[in-house]
Each structure stands twice: as C-alpha cells, then as structure tokens.
Amino acid sequence: MKKTLAFILLITLVFGFASFAMAQTTDAPADAEKTAEEIAAEEAAAAKQARDIRNTLIILGIAAFLFVTELIPLAVTAMFVPVLLVWTGVLTTAQGLSGLSNTNVMLFAGMFVVGAGLFETGVANAIGDKVVKIAGGSELGLTLGVMTLAALMSAVLSNTGTTAVLLPVCIGIANSAGWSRGKILMPLALAAGLGGTLSLVGTPPNLAVNGVLGTAGLRQFGFFEFALAGGPLTIAGFIYLLTIGRKLIPDRKVQDDGDEAQGEDKVYNKSKQGISVAILVIVIVVMAFGKQLPGFLNMHLAIAALAGALLTVLFKVVPEKQAYRSIDWTTIFLFAGMLPLADAMNKTGAGKLIADMVVGLMGDSPSPFIIMTAMFWLTAILTQFMSNTASTTLLAPICLAIANTIGVSPHAILIVVAMAASCAFATPVGTPPNTLVLGPGGFKFNDYIKVGTPLLIIAYAVLMVVAPIFWPL
C-alpha cells in the first residue's frame, strides 16, 4: 500500500509539475523591438530555465518516492540528490556539494559527540535513577517524572539515546513494582519526541527550517525560540498522556527478558562525569547567550558545538572511535544532500512554481491559516512513515515560497512545519523512540494509532493558536 501511494506521488509530482513548468516557461510572447540576437538569447535562457525546473521537480519526485518507500537507505537517497542536480546541470559542483560545509550540519555533528559524553559516562543513567527515587511509589508520579526527564534531555540530546538510556530503568522499576510497562514506556517515547521541539538542536527539523531561512537571507530562529511553540505543545501533550491518553494505552503482560530489563551494572569515572556535564552546560550557555558574551565566547553555534566535541574527545570523556560512532551519519547526510535541493528550487524558480500551484488550489486569496493547516497535516502525515528530516527538507522550501507568494511572514508557517515533523506519534516507525518501546511495551501498530491520533489533533489545535501569536502573519 505504501509503495502504491508513493508511486502515485511520484507520477503526480513528475508529470504534473513538469507539464505545468513547460506551460509556464514556453508561452512568453516575443518583444518586437528586440534584435534577433537578443530574442534568441532570451529564448535560450527560458529554455534552460524550463529544463532546470523540470529536472529539479523530477529529482524532487524521485527523492520523495524513495524516502517514502525506503527502497534504498535514506542517506543514499539524499546524497543522490546533489549528484543528480550537478549531472543535469541545475547546479554547479560547488553548489551541489555546499551542503557538506553547511554550518547546521557541523552543529548537529558536534552535538552528537557532546551528547555521547553524558551517555558514555553514565550521567544520563544517574539522572534517570534520581527521577525514579523522587517519584517514589506512585506510578503516575513516575510517569510524569520520566516524561519530564525525557523531554528535557531530548531538548539538547538525541531523543533516541535518551529513550535507550531510560528504557531499561523504566522496565526494571515497572517489573519490580508490578506496574504496567506500557503505561510508562509509551509516554517515555512520545515525551522524547515532544522534547525535541524545545530548542534549535533538539531535533533535525528545527535545524532544517533554520537552514532554509538562512539560505533565503531571512532572520533565523533563536536557540530557545522554538520553545515558544514547543513548550505549550509539550505541556498539552503531557496533560493528554496523563489523562485521556493513559486510558488508551493497553495494559498487556510482557515476558521479562531479564538482562534487557535490568541493564548492565557499570562503574563510571566521577571526574569524567563532571567534565561531560561542564562541557554540555558551557556549550548550551554559549549557544543561547553567545551574542551577549565577551571575547572568544561570542562565537557561532556550529563553532560552539565543534569546540564542545573536541573537548569531549581531548579530555577522553569519549574515545575517538566512539565519538565517530556516536554521530548519526544518516542525519548528517540527509542534511548535506537535501540542502542543495532547497537551493535548486529557489534558484530555478521550481519552489515558486509549486507554491503558485498550491496557492491556486486553495483559491484566489488563501488564508494563512488554511496554508498552515494544509502544511501541518501534510508534514504530520508524511513524518509518520518517513524521516522527519526528509519531510521537513522537502516541504520547508515550498512553504517559504508560498509565504513569499501570498506576502506573509514565513516564520509562523515554518514553525508549524518544524513542529509537525516532530509529531510522529501515530506509528511505531515514525521515529526511533517509538520503535524502541514497541517490543518491550508489547505494543501493536494500532496502539500507536489509538494513542497518537488524538495527540496529533491536540498538537494541531495548539499550534494554530500559538504560532500567529509569537510570529505574527
């Protein structure tokens, strides 16, 4: 079914957009006052633009098809994009490879290593154990504590790593207390996803929309500016998961796997734990308040992240080889490969073409709220089955072009897209944390639909209220 839908998407994108592109770029009347040479030059330029638009949209369609079906790895699909853009002459070699030097790519690579320091030294485990002790004998209290911890950790660390660290702790406590695993593990996974909406480095989609704004020369979101939308969204999600959502989570008995539940007892180096925490705190402070700090501390976010990564390795908090392994290279190559596509869509006019088509389908004067609604649900549906990074990098440039077409600020629309990309609540394959708790929690595919769909509706309602308030249209 998924491949069938993806095939229909591919055909629609390729033939619909390409035909429209040809129609829009070949019907311009010639100016009688121009010389034959000028007319010929203009016709050649128009023909090249039409060819570039057609090739860009075909590449976009192929990428969308492969992202949805995952016939080949996501990172391989992403890196095919700049190769095809250069081969077809849409971009130069330098433009096609520009994603590899993008500051956002370096920023995320550095934060993967800094975050690994907390996991490798056992700091994350210690924090989890502390929350369990504070919660005491209350199952509801433990659930709230786990969700709060997962959200805060995911705001600056990998949500996958956060879930993986807290998973054995939660299972062990649930087993010893005789509580339902599912009632704790489902909120754990969903809270990890919600926590990523609280900061710039919380999740790749946030960096993706910032990269699109930066490419267009527009003001980028601040480090914690995402929390203006992510904070209310997270609070609303917590309330739902502790009330109505909790009742929808199944209470199934799961076979205890022993080792998986209890984890491994390890002795950690106290000094390295302190160093890893200090590095993380310094990096976050520099990222959040760098412009107000004096001297060398006033640095770019990417430099702060890379400096933190270097210190993590130099102080041997994380061994060099483990630092390489801690980087999620799929995310890195998704960024590096898809950013040139955003550049190509802007350079050729393909993004504006799609924007015109979408606006045309919405009517002569579409309301910004209609556009935000359409983009939220399109992004949210895509992210249930494909990488949230891929869905964001595909749609963010289109949203920017739509905003420019109707003459509104793009920030509200882009924040909706970024938040929607983190709303992978309704399937076990939408995001790694959902997959991690699938087996240990004894969940089925339909369990995610039952719990996640109402949460999607709540997220939509929250964003439609807060986005226009903090980012006026």
Side-chain angles (χ1 to χ4, degrees):
M1 181 63 178
K2 186 169 72 172
K3 293 182 179 180
T4 302
L5 291 175
F7 182 72
I8 294 173
L9 172 64
L10 173 63
I11 297 299
T12 302
L13 280 170
V14 172
F15 291 100
F17 293 157
S19 298
F20 190 84
M22 293 299 294
Q24 293 294 308
T25 53
T26 57
D27 294 338
D31 191 334
E33 297 182 359
K34 295 180 180 178
T35 64
E37 290 79 6
E38 290 175 333
I39 293 174
E42 289 185 357
E43 289 178 347
K48 184 182 186 307
Q49 182 184 23
R51 185 171 59 253
D52 287 347
I53 290 176
R54 183 183 66 246
N55 290 338
T56 299
L57 293 173
I58 289 174
I59 292 170
L60 172 65
I62 293 171
F65 171 76
L66 292 174
F67 278 139
V68 171
T69 60
E70 294 192 40
L71 294 176
I72 58 178
L74 295 177
V76 176
T77 296
M79 293 310 296
F80 257 123
V81 169
V83 171
L84 292 174
L85 288 171
V86 174
W87 276 353
T88 55
V90 176
L91 297 179
T92 64
T93 300
Q95 291 170 332
L97 298 178
S98 61
L100 290 168
S101 61
N102 186 272
T103 55
N104 286 322
V105 172
M106 298 297 104
L107 169 60
F108 225 74
M111 287 307 297
F112 275 127
V113 177
V114 172
L118 267 68
F119 297 122
E120 286 293 311
T121 58
V123 171
N125 277 318
I127 295 173
D129 292 339
K130 186 69 174 178
V131 169
V132 170
K133 291 179 181 178
I134 293 174
S138 169
E139 184 178 0
L140 196 64
L142 175 62
T143 303
L144 176 60
V146 166
M147 288 197 300
T148 302
L149 178 59
L152 292 176
M153 290 175 65
S154 293
V156 292
L157 303 173
S158 160
N159 58 8
T160 304
T162 297
T163 306
V165 166
L166 295 179
L167 180 64
V169 177
C170 293
I171 291 176
I173 296 298
N175 287 346
S176 62
W179 296 337
S180 168
R181 286 189 189 181
K183 300 287 187 182
I184 299 175
L185 295 186
M186 180 73 82
L188 165 64
L190 298 182
L194 288 167
T197 65
L198 298 176
S199 76
L200 174 63
V201 298
T203 184
N206 294 356
L207 282 170
V209 296
N210 242 22
V212 170
L213 286 170
T215 301
L218 299 173
R219 182 189 72 81
Q220 294 181 302
F221 294 110
F223 188 85
F224 285 118
E225 188 175 350
F226 290 91
L228 295 176
L233 178 60
T234 301
I235 292 172
F238 277 27
I239 295 173
Y240 164 75
L241 289 170
L242 290 172
T243 54
I244 300 173
R246 185 173 182 80
K247 296 178 181 179
L248 298 174
I249 299 173
D251 186 3
R252 296 193 183 97
K253 295 295 182 181
V254 182
Q255 183 66 34
D256 185 14
D257 294 329
D259 292 339
E260 177 186 348
Q262 301 300 325
E264 296 180 1
D265 293 328
K266 295 176 65 175
V267 177
Y268 295 104
N269 186 305
K270 294 293 184 181
S271 63
K272 289 185 178 181
Q273 287 182 331
I275 293 172
S276 68
V277 172
I279 291 173
L280 177 64
V281 171
I282 292 172
V283 169
I284 293 176
V285 169
V286 171
M287 285 183 170
F289 308 105
K291 293 182 179 180
Q292 288 78 43
L293 296 176
F296 72 93
L297 292 176
N298 186 350
M299 65 181 73
H300 192 278
L301 298 181
I303 299 300
L306 290 175
L310 290 172
L311 290 174
T312 300
V313 175
L314 288 174
F315 281 101
K316 298 183 178 179
V317 175
V318 176
E320 180 187 0
K321 291 184 178 179
Q322 181 59 32
Y324 295 138
R325 289 194 294 268
S326 70
I327 298 174
D328 187 339
W329 293 104
T330 296
T331 296
I332 297 299
F333 285 120
L334 272 171
F335 270 126
M338 294 304 292
L339 285 176
L341 180 60
D343 186 32
M345 292 182 67
N346 181 56
K347 172 177 173 287
T348 64
K352 185 177 185 303
L353 180 64
I354 296 175
D356 290 341
M357 291 182 66
V358 173
V359 171
L361 292 173
M362 294 179 184
D364 294 333
S365 301
S367 163
F369 286 95
I370 293 177
I371 293 175
M372 287 195 296
T373 295
M375 289 303 163
F376 173 87
W377 288 110
L378 179 58
T379 307
I381 291 171
L382 285 176
T383 202
Q384 305 305 319
F385 300 98
M386 61 186 285
S387 161
N388 58 5
T389 306
S391 61
T392 307
T393 51
L394 277 171
L395 295 176
I398 298 173
C399 292
L400 178 63
I402 290 175
N404 292 334
T405 299
I406 65 174
V408 300
S409 171
H411 291 84
I413 299 176
L414 286 175
I415 202 74
V416 167
V417 170
M419 296 297 109
S422 294
C423 293
F425 307 136
T427 71
V429 297
T431 182
N434 289 5
T435 308
L436 280 172
V437 302
L438 176 66
F443 299 123
K444 297 180 181 178
F445 195 99
N446 286 339
D447 296 331
Y448 290 86
I449 296 176
K450 291 176 182 177
V451 179
T453 301
L455 187 53
L456 278 174
I457 296 172
I458 292 171
Y460 164 73
V462 170
L463 290 172
M464 290 303 103
V465 173
V466 301
I469 292 176
F470 294 112
W471 300 276
L473 295 163

